[in-house]
Amino acid sequence: SILASYLLKEKLNILGKLGCLLSCAGSVVLIIHSPKSESVTTQAELEEKLTNPVFVGYLCIVLLMLLLLIFWIAPAHGPTNIMVYISICSLLGSFTVPSTKGIGLAAQDIFHNNPSSQRALCLCLVLLAVLGCSIIVQFRYINKALECFDSSVFGAIYYVVFTTLVLLASAILFREWSNVGLVDFLGMACGFTTVSVGIVLIQVFKEFNFNLGEMNKSNVKTD
């Protein structure tokens, strides 16, 4: 985002650059302290987790939110509110994570001559279709967002929100929250707070004409 402000000549003041730095630092802290996923090495284990009622309920909520955003909110508020397009692209990450993991596991069984190979092929095709659709929709709304908003602002906020929602989807899919200790919980809370402050700096103060040169001038004493 900071490079885009120079290369594309987009407006990103010193507060926006600090917001980018805080957002990246907060998301790294969030990743470091996020719950460690269980080892899933077989197709059967993945199918069991994909059909878990909690994860299915989460996906249903995400799907309803996507339908609401795409068909009702985006046409009216998408060009004026950057969070609409970012929410659509980020929520699709909830489908990208299990699809990518499932394709890798199913591919191991497709070429084996056993009764489960046909089932693995069907699962792989379904997950490929879900992954392809989610990527196409993400590209569409990313292009829409870049037509209406600065890429420096969009890139920073999208990176943070997408990372947060993907971590949430992975935690629900692999049932990771039971292994979170007090230190990791506090670390995730601090990381999320840092990310939130960074987003506020990027989004709220993006129209302020504020730079280091003006700050240095204000600190000089006048006679």
Side-chain angles (χ1 to χ4, degrees), residues 43-165:
Q43 173 195 334
E45 292 178 358
L46 181 65
E47 289 182 3
E48 179 185 356
K49 293 185 180 299
L50 288 175
T51 55
N52 182 269
V54 177
F55 184 69
V56 172
Y58 171 75
L59 288 184
C60 290
I61 294 173
V62 169
L63 185 59
L64 288 174
M65 293 176 65
L66 284 171
L67 292 174
L68 180 64
L69 286 167
I70 291 173
F71 292 106
W72 281 279
I73 299 178
H77 304 286
T80 58
N81 191 332
I82 192 173
M83 291 306 299
V84 175
Y85 292 146
I86 287 178
S87 298
I88 293 173
C89 297
S90 300
L91 285 170
L92 286 167
S94 301
F95 297 96
T96 304
V97 171
S99 298
T100 306
K101 180 72 173 180
I103 290 170
L105 292 176
Q108 300 175 7
D109 297 333
I110 290 177
F111 301 103
H112 294 168
N113 293 323
N114 53 52
S116 63
S117 61
Q118 190 67 27
R119 185 183 180 90
L121 178 60
C122 294
L123 177 63
C124 185
L125 292 176
V126 170
L127 293 178
L128 275 174
V130 173
L131 181 62
C133 292
S134 64
I135 291 175
I136 290 172
V137 176
Q138 285 184 64
F139 274 128
R140 179 186 177 188
Y141 284 97
I142 286 174
N143 289 330
K144 282 179 173 288
L146 294 178
E147 291 175 359
C148 303
F149 307 100
D150 290 345
S151 61
S152 56
V153 176
F154 173 80
I157 301 177
Y158 177 51
Y159 165 74
V160 170
V161 179
F162 184 89
T163 301
T164 303
L165 290 180

Side-chain angles (χ1 to χ4, degrees), residues 1-2 4 10 12 15-25 27 82-83 86 90 146 150-164 195 198-203:
S1 297
I2 295 175
E10 294 177 345
L12 188 66
L15 292 177
K17 294 172 184 178
L18 290 175
C20 291
L21 179 62
L22 286 174
S23 297
C24 293
S27 61
I82 192 173
M83 291 306 299
I86 287 178
S90 300
L146 294 178
D150 290 345
S151 61
S152 56
V153 176
F154 173 80
I157 301 177
Y158 177 51
Y159 165 74
V160 170
V161 179
F162 184 89
T163 301
T164 303
V195 164
I199 291 179
V200 170
L201 288 176
I202 296 170
Q203 182 67 9

